[in-house]
Amino acid sequence: MTGSASKMTLMTNLRLAASSTLGMFAAAVVWLSIGWGCSSPRPNGEGPAAEGRMPPNIVLLLTDDQRADALGCAGHPVLRTPHLDAMARRGQRFAHAFVSTSICAASRASILTSLHEGVHGYTFGTSPLADQFTTESYPALLRAAGYRTGLVGKVGVKMPAGALARLFDHCEPMTPPYRADGPDGDARHLTDRVGDAAIRFLRAEDSRPFCLSVSFNAPHAEDSNPKQYIWPPTEDGLYREPPIASAGPEEAALFEAQPSFLRESLNRERWAWRFDTPAKAQSMIAGYYRMISGVDRVVGRIVDALADRGVADETVIIFSSDNGYFLGERGFAGKWLIHEPSIRVPLVVVAPHLPDVRGGVVQQAVALNLDLAPTILDFAGVAIPEHYQGRSLLPLLRGAAPDWRDDFYYEHRFAHARIPKSEGVRDARWTYARYFEQDPVFEELYDRDADPAQRHNLAGAPESAPVLTRLRARCDELGRIAHRRN
């Protein structure tokens, strides 16, 4: 079958998947068989199958521990990310993108499944992500619709035996160390090896549209290495002058004001690994930036490979990260908590095949990691399962003004003695957190309009009692919704 004929057949299949009674009935039977009840895919009116166009290729670029402000195009005063900045000019950047759980394992499971941690149940120390969730993940649905699916780099989610082979036509997992020098090791940096694998996938002769997940470990520290941040040699000369700004003395005062279960947490232990002296903080933050610039350079290689193959204009590119990161704020180095550096992530979407997706737009709507899977399916014209908890960003990208969220539920349920479990809600002005396993329960309330750094906990302030009562109730309500299985 020729490439053109293959794509025409695929488009027909996608139309059937998106709109036919038979396709919806089959999906309902599948859901009944795995115990979720009768639930059919949501009709899809945004994607290419509904409009008579060929489905686009899709590349998802995902980093680890990259803060939302760690991009040149986000206004960073030092960090250089020219290739990602160019993507933001060609596409659209979401200035308010967040994760629903700030830890790689749970967040990556949420990206795959569009489900909250409390529903998919996966994080470090749990059983593998259940088959009932992997079978309705975005790569599984794309592959069933005729896409060639691939993943290179960090998987980050344990799955039952055989699940990866069912999700991906090609899967090439890679993990640190970043540099495996020696007679049996590959001296090339892990970021470059992930890029090499991505480009091999893109160069393969195959007429099907593809969806490739390029999953970088960077800029996550190599925890077992005293140097922590291991950047590619090509970035050696970056960020040496002038001095890198690091957390000031106000963060030490804020740290001391926190309760003991936070002062003694893993966030503080890792702060001592990385930021406990000004000289060490300078060196470590520069290393973190070099790792991001290394990712940016490889992103440029991937974009060039798409152009070389002649498919750049028909390929959607999505760039984001699995969680944010504390670079010394609050006296911490890590994530896990609902504070802004931990939960905010970069998000850039490029869709050159759609003329009504204008370039250079900075979106102000709240986007979540839960939205990536439905957005990918919507671009492909594949029906979005009814049980997905995120929403497609495509209407926003196309300039529509749908009724949209202005708050969201956050949770962190990893069972770790030094990472306190929490839940909370973030709205347009306020952040509320509840550490529900503490005795008594410890609460935080921040007015980000007046206190963007979240330094002044108003949970005990009498004048804030009405807001605290409202957000307690809202947290309960959103938690019930987030944990409800359709």
Side-chain angles (χ1 to χ4, degrees), residues 145-470:
Y147 268 75
R148 175 178 170 244
T149 58
L151 183 149
V152 297
K154 178 173 180 173
V155 178
V157 178
K158 291 183 180 179
M159 301 183 199
L164 281 174
R166 292 191 293 272
L167 269 59
F168 299 105
D169 292 282
H170 177 82
C171 185
E172 197 167 339
M174 300 184 196
T175 59
Y178 285 105
R179 297 285 301 276
D181 297 313
D184 300 319
D186 187 342
R188 281 175 64 73
H189 191 275
L190 179 59
T191 296
D192 289 300
R193 284 182 275 137
V194 169
D196 295 344
I199 292 168
R200 285 195 297 271
F201 178 94
L202 296 176
R203 288 175 175 170
E205 292 294 330
D206 197 303
S207 61
R208 292 173 292 172
F210 58 80
C211 178
L212 174 62
S213 297
V214 184
S215 187
F216 297 98
N217 282 268
H220 195 295
E222 190 172 305
D223 293 336
S224 61
N225 190 320
K227 295 181 180 179
Q228 297 292 291
Y229 294 103
I230 315 299
W231 58 88
T234 46
E235 278 64 49
D236 272 346
L238 297 179
Y239 313 119
R240 297 191 179 277
E241 297 291 343
I244 302 292
S246 56
E250 67 277 5
E251 302 301 339
L254 176 57
F255 170 76
E256 293 298 338
Q258 297 178 108
S260 60
F261 73 87
L262 291 174
R263 294 198 311 271
E264 297 166 6
S265 69
L266 193 58
N267 266 324
R268 184 59 172 183
E269 179 181 340
R270 294 190 175 186
W271 175 88
W273 297 356
R274 297 162 192 166
F275 307 133
D276 62 346
T277 70
K280 184 190 288 186
Q282 289 274 314
S283 175
M284 293 288 180
I285 294 172
Y288 176 80
Y289 292 166
R290 290 178 193 124
M291 294 185 79
I292 293 171
S293 286
V295 169
D296 179 81
R297 176 177 50 78
V298 170
V299 167
R301 292 177 56 209
I302 292 170
V303 171
D304 287 346
L306 292 168
D308 290 345
R309 188 178 161 185
V311 297
D313 290 339
E314 55 194 71
T315 301
V316 172
I317 306 177
I318 301 173
F319 172 81
S320 192
S321 188
D322 57 10
N323 50 253
Y325 192 74
F326 291 111
L327 285 174
E329 294 92 348
R330 314 184 77 80
F332 291 155
K335 50 266 186 179
W336 310 309
L337 309 181
I338 197 175
H339 303 288
E340 296 289 286
S342 168
I343 63 172
R344 293 183 78 122
V345 292
L347 177 58
V348 177
V349 182
V350 181
H353 68 298
L354 295 179
D356 54 348
V357 176
R358 295 188 299 112
V361 172
V362 179
Q363 291 277 353
Q364 300 302 315
V366 172
L368 298 177
N369 55 345
L370 303 170
D371 298 331
L372 296 186
T375 300
I376 289 169
L377 294 178
D378 206 1
F379 271 122
V382 175
I384 301 167
E386 186 67 30
H387 71 277
Y388 271 20
Q389 294 179 311
R391 298 175 63 181
S392 172
L393 301 172
L394 189 47
L396 294 172
L397 293 164
R398 303 184 94 163
D403 182 27
W404 200 256
R405 69 173 73 89
D406 57 13
D407 62 5
F408 66 92
Y409 177 73
Y410 178 85
E411 62 186 329
H412 201 288
R413 302 185 180 277
F414 177 28
H416 189 291
R418 299 184 63 200
I419 301 176
K421 293 182 182 179
S422 65
E423 62 181 349
V425 59
R426 185 198 185 278
D427 68 17
R429 175 176 176 179
W430 297 89
T431 296
Y432 168 73
R434 175 192 296 155
Y435 298 88
F436 52 83
E437 287 194 339
Q438 302 304 308
D439 186 15
V441 171
F442 183 76
E443 294 175 300
E444 292 177 306
L445 179 67
Y446 299 100
D447 179 356
R448 297 189 319 280
D449 282 356
D451 178 25
Q454 298 170 280
R455 299 185 189 282
H456 306 290
N457 183 6
L458 302 178
E463 64 273 19
S464 300
V467 177
L468 181 64
T469 299
R470 175 176 64 82

Side-chain angles (χ1 to χ4, degrees), residues 14-34:
L14 290 170
R15 285 177 177 150
L16 289 172
S19 60
S20 75
T21 303
L22 177 61
M24 295 178 72
F25 174 76
V29 170
V30 170
W31 282 111
L32 280 169
S33 71
I34 61 176

